Amino acid sequence: RDMADAAKNNKPGLENLIAASSEIFKALRMEVQEHLGEDLLNAVLTIPVSCGAKQRLAVRRAAGLAGITIDGFLHEPFAAALAQLQSEGDGDYLIFDWGGGTLDITVVRKVGSMLQEMGSGGESALAGSDFDREIARWAKDRFIAAKKLRGDNVEAEAERRLIYESELRKIELSSAEEAVIEVPDFIGSTGLRVPISRHDLEELIGEWIGLALDDIQSTLKSAGLSPHQISKVFMVGGSSQ
């Protein structure tokens, strides 16, 4: 997501992000060699729906530095459809893919063994990581207010630990009604401990859920379909939980 944003908006640091991404491709290439005994020289890559020409070029460059040629790209929800729809009959299906970095929505029509992408939409900068940061901000504000502390002297490492802890508690709230955000030594020797309920989480991200519902409607409109014409909805990605 950082590299895609830098490529799209011509931000500084793009070359460093491409170089870092190439190391990931190198690691993947080595893993394929280790487990399959074959060299990975060509690949078809899945990408977010919002990934444009500049972002794709940056990805191609990163893969090229690792010795991998990208033969083509597939939208991530369409790739999910290839796996999910093998056992499904003919019809129109909506793939709702909300992961850690982006929200991708695709409507796919299946006729026999053929799949056609009818419409797509989503958000390029709204996903699970944004939820984590919002939960962390909320917990920090409540903690500082309760303890009557200053909020401008929190070290970066403590902030990172809070965001990670917020992600864990967000996941916990998928199946529990309540959880507790805890970060030892958050400010000096004072630890952070803030209870959070599923209701709290729903209020924090409610506006974004509404935005996601709007994106579903606009995607259906681009596909020329109404909700009752969708045969089934597939929820993909951690944030969909």
Side-chain angles (χ1 to χ4, degrees):
R1 175 168 155 176
D2 289 340
M3 184 175 73
D5 181 56
K8 179 180 179 180
N9 298 298
N10 296 316
K11 291 184 177 180
L14 175 60
E15 294 303 320
N16 290 337
L17 290 169
I18 289 174
S21 298
S22 73
E23 295 301 318
I24 298 175
F25 279 111
K26 289 175 184 177
L28 290 172
R29 185 177 177 184
M30 290 177 61
E31 189 169 341
V32 169
Q33 290 173 332
E34 179 180 343
H35 291 282
L36 300 181
E38 298 181 6
D39 199 359
L40 177 61
L41 299 176
N42 299 77
V44 174
L45 205 65
T46 63
I47 56 173
V49 168
S50 59
C51 194
K54 290 182 178 179
Q55 293 100 317
R56 296 183 190 206
L57 177 59
V59 172
R60 285 187 186 275
R61 289 180 57 198
L65 290 174
I68 301 172
T69 299
I70 302 298
D71 291 334
F73 294 97
L74 282 177
H75 285 159
E76 289 173 353
F78 189 80
L82 291 175
Q84 298 282 356
L85 299 183
Q86 290 184 17
S87 59
E88 299 291 337
D90 291 357
D92 295 317
Y93 298 89
L94 188 142
I95 313 298
F96 183 89
D97 183 357
W98 208 351
T102 60
L103 166 62
D104 298 304
I105 304 168
T106 290
V107 174
V108 176
R109 173 165 293 169
K110 182 180 182 184
V111 179
S113 61
M114 301 294 293
L115 295 180
Q116 179 183 0
E117 185 173 313
M118 303 295 294
S120 61
E123 301 290 334
S124 62
L126 176 58
S129 58
D130 299 288
F131 296 172
D132 303 339
R133 285 190 288 270
E134 179 63 13
I135 295 167
R137 180 205 59 76
W138 175 86
K140 176 183 173 182
D141 288 348
R142 291 177 72 88
F143 167 74
I144 289 172
K147 296 293 184 179
K148 295 181 172 58
L149 298 171
R150 289 175 53 195
D152 58 358
N153 57 350
V154 180
E155 295 185 1
E157 175 59 27
E159 293 275 14
R160 285 191 290 269
R161 288 190 286 123
L162 175 57
I163 292 173
Y164 178 68
E165 171 70 6
S166 298
E167 179 187 11
L168 296 180
R169 302 291 74 81
K170 175 192 69 177
I171 294 170
E172 183 179 348
L173 289 172
S174 295
S175 57
E177 291 295 330
E178 295 183 343
V180 179
I181 301 171
E182 294 187 90
V183 180
D185 303 326
F186 184 64
I187 297 180
S189 60
T190 304
L192 178 148
R193 189 179 191 276
V194 178
I196 183 171
S197 67
R198 186 182 295 178
H199 177 71
D200 293 328
L201 175 61
E202 290 172 350
E203 285 197 333
L204 285 171
I205 66 174
E207 182 177 346
W208 294 333
I209 298 297
L211 182 60
L213 293 174
D214 290 342
D215 286 331
I216 290 175
Q217 293 293 338
S218 61
T219 302
L220 287 171
K221 184 177 180 180
S222 70
L225 297 170
S226 59
H228 75 270
Q229 292 177 285
I230 297 298
S231 303
K232 187 181 289 188
V233 175
F234 289 93
M235 309 288 284
V236 183
S239 296
S240 297
Q241 306 304 313

